[in-house]
Amino acid sequence: MGTPMADYVKLPQLDEYKEWFKDFADLYREDGILQVTWKTKDGPMHHSGMSHRAISQLVRILSLDFKNEIIIFTHIGDTWMIESDPDGWETYSELPTQRFQHQYFDDTNLIKNMVFDLDVPTIGAVPGPGFHWDSAFLSDVTICSDDCKMEVPHAQGGLVPGDGMGLMCQHYFGTKRGNYYMMTTRQFTAQDMLDHGMVSEVVAKDKVMDRAWEIARMWKKMSYENRTIMSNLAKRPLKQLLVNDLKLHTVSEQYASLLRIAAGDLGDENSAQQDEKYISRVNDWRYATRDMEAPQTAESWVQMPAKAADWFKKVEAGQETNPFAQKPVKPYRPKKEGEEG
């Protein structure tokens, strides 16, 4: 056999790219199964322009490494992403180029890379409530905890819900029910998601990751070629959905957002469009209480930002406890196959 004129291009290996993304994800691989645990530093992932971009960049890198045969996407700790970096949106707000890149490229890539770049089976493992649940619910199979609740919060914060979550609600729940969640910002529970086909299984709070790894190891019993081809069939409906509608949704949100900025309506909780830096205190209240699980009214719609702000002040004064206060936490590690205890 002769010698090729040129060798294969050397691409980054796990030890290299896990270092690149260490501030945003913990990467652990065992027997070809890669666990991606979203985080910021040593705590829960904080929504920011930087984390927004890192998610889509990492997914693209993962697709280039053939040693990643099955991928599990999860979040550190016992929730999904709830917090926001108040200083993480400075470049996002710069017009025109920075904002264009963040919104036109990042917003779309965050969604499409999950289904167009990844050719291997994927599992979303959701350990608890949170928002920006894209990667978990774009996976081939999604497992969530029994206390999980999600939402499409944009409209109540003055945004058009065009970042893909509203589109996925229409897809999974059906048009009318999906429209309802998208347009009223009402939260949906784990049982709602199971009943309407948004999740594959609901399991006990502390069993989500165990079950995700159990499914991944089950798939490993199949041949590499067959399970990879199977994953393409699993992704096909979402590929068709995204080709038809994703860019329309993302650009609609961008256009509406820029209209509010042009009108001078971007700012605090009293503005027509809230600045991203207020996400944490609003989200902590939304997930710590049950207010958003009920059907919303004109009164609750108007009162929501002020109620969240008042609750946050009580937390700062020690009168209320914030269950989502940041604390260092270690990423989940699976027991070895066959290991007990």
Side-chain angles (χ1 to χ4, degrees):
M1 181 180 292
T3 302
M5 293 178 64
D7 203 350
Y8 291 107
V9 173
K10 184 184 183 301
L11 295 174
Q13 299 299 301
L14 179 60
D15 286 345
E16 296 175 81
Y17 59 78
K18 73 183 298 183
E19 182 68 18
W20 299 351
F21 291 94
K22 65 181 180 181
D23 289 342
F24 302 104
D26 174 82
L27 304 180
Y28 171 81
R29 189 167 64 201
E30 176 188 310
D31 190 28
I33 302 168
L34 179 75
Q35 177 183 299
V36 178
T37 305
W38 300 121
K39 65 185 184 70
T40 297
K41 299 291 188 178
D42 296 322
M45 176 168 266
H46 281 56
H47 192 41
S48 69
M50 298 78 189
S51 66
H52 215 234
R53 179 167 293 174
I55 292 172
S56 63
Q57 289 173 327
L58 176 57
V59 168
R60 184 158 289 169
I61 294 294
L62 297 182
S63 72
L64 300 175
D65 187 349
F66 288 168
K67 293 178 182 176
N68 298 325
E69 299 181 29
I70 296 170
I71 304 176
I72 299 171
F73 291 96
T74 190
H75 187 281
I76 202 167
D78 59 2
T79 69
W80 198 256
M81 180 166 59
I82 291 177
E83 306 304 321
S84 182
D85 180 351
D87 300 311
W89 296 96
E90 297 306 314
T91 59
Y92 196 97
S93 62
E94 292 179 13
L95 294 169
T97 303
Q98 289 277 14
R99 191 176 188 97
F100 173 77
Q101 290 172 339
H102 276 294
Q103 289 197 310
Y104 196 80
F105 296 130
D106 294 350
D107 284 9
T108 304
N109 290 339
L110 187 73
I111 303 294
K112 76 176 181 63
N113 291 5
M114 280 293 303
V115 293
F116 285 100
D117 283 8
L118 297 179
D119 293 312
V120 298
T122 54
I123 300 171
V126 186
F131 82 116
H132 239 310
W133 30 263
D134 323 81
S135 61
F137 290 91
L138 287 164
S139 296
D140 301 337
V141 165
T142 302
I143 310 298
C144 79
S145 63
D146 51 15
D147 72 332
C148 185
K149 57 180 180 177
M150 299 289 181
E151 63 190 351
V152 184
H154 302 66
Q156 216 169 18
L159 286 165
V160 170
D163 68 343
M165 286 190 280
L167 178 60
M168 282 189 279
C169 275
Q170 290 176 322
H171 174 71
Y172 292 120
F173 287 110
T175 303
K176 291 296 182 181
R177 191 70 178 176
N179 287 349
Y180 172 72
Y181 286 129
M182 177 178 72
M183 298 174 76
T184 71
T185 77
R186 181 181 177 179
Q187 289 175 338
F188 35 92
T189 65
Q191 191 61 50
D192 292 328
M193 292 186 277
L194 183 64
D195 290 344
H196 289 87
M198 193 172 186
V199 299
S200 313
E201 289 184 8
V202 175
V203 300
K205 177 70 175 174
D206 60 347
K207 299 298 182 183
V208 173
M209 295 309 300
D210 290 341
R211 181 57 179 150
W213 274 88
E214 188 174 44
I215 292 174
R217 286 170 173 153
M218 178 183 72
W219 286 342
K220 280 287 292 186
K221 305 302 181 187
M222 294 179 66
S223 70
Y224 165 73
E225 296 80 10
N226 281 15
R227 67 171 177 263
T228 303
I229 295 169
M230 177 178 71
S231 177
N232 179 65
L233 295 180
K235 292 177 173 64
R236 183 172 170 78
L238 284 174
K239 288 181 179 179
Q240 293 173 320
L241 174 72
L242 300 186
V243 166
N244 289 336
D245 291 326
L246 178 60
K247 183 57 75 172
L248 174 63
H249 274 242
T250 56
V251 171
S252 294
E253 178 177 325
Q254 295 154 22
Y255 178 64
S257 177
L258 290 173
L259 285 176
R260 298 275 52 82
I261 292 172
D265 286 341
L266 172 67
D268 63 17
E269 64 268 17
N270 299 309
S271 302
Q273 179 178 318
Q274 292 178 34
D275 191 274
E276 297 279 3
K277 66 185 178 182
Y278 293 98
I279 286 179
S280 283
R281 73 182 189 187
V282 170
N283 276 0
D284 286 356
W285 171 80
R286 291 173 80 103
Y287 292 111
T289 69
R290 303 196 65 178
D291 295 52
M292 298 308 301
E293 293 179 42
Q296 297 301 292
T297 66
E299 182 180 15
S300 68
W301 187 282
V302 172
Q303 289 179 348
M304 185 279 290
K307 288 178 73 172
D310 289 344
W311 176 85
F312 193 77
K313 290 176 183 176
K314 290 179 180 178
V315 169
E316 291 183 318
Q319 300 169 354
E320 292 279 1
T321 300
N322 181 2
F324 308 116
Q326 184 177 3
K327 56 184 182 295
V329 59
K330 292 183 179 180
Y332 172 91
R333 288 291 182 263
K335 302 181 185 71
K336 299 297 181 182
E337 193 166 8
E339 182 182 352
E340 297 181 0

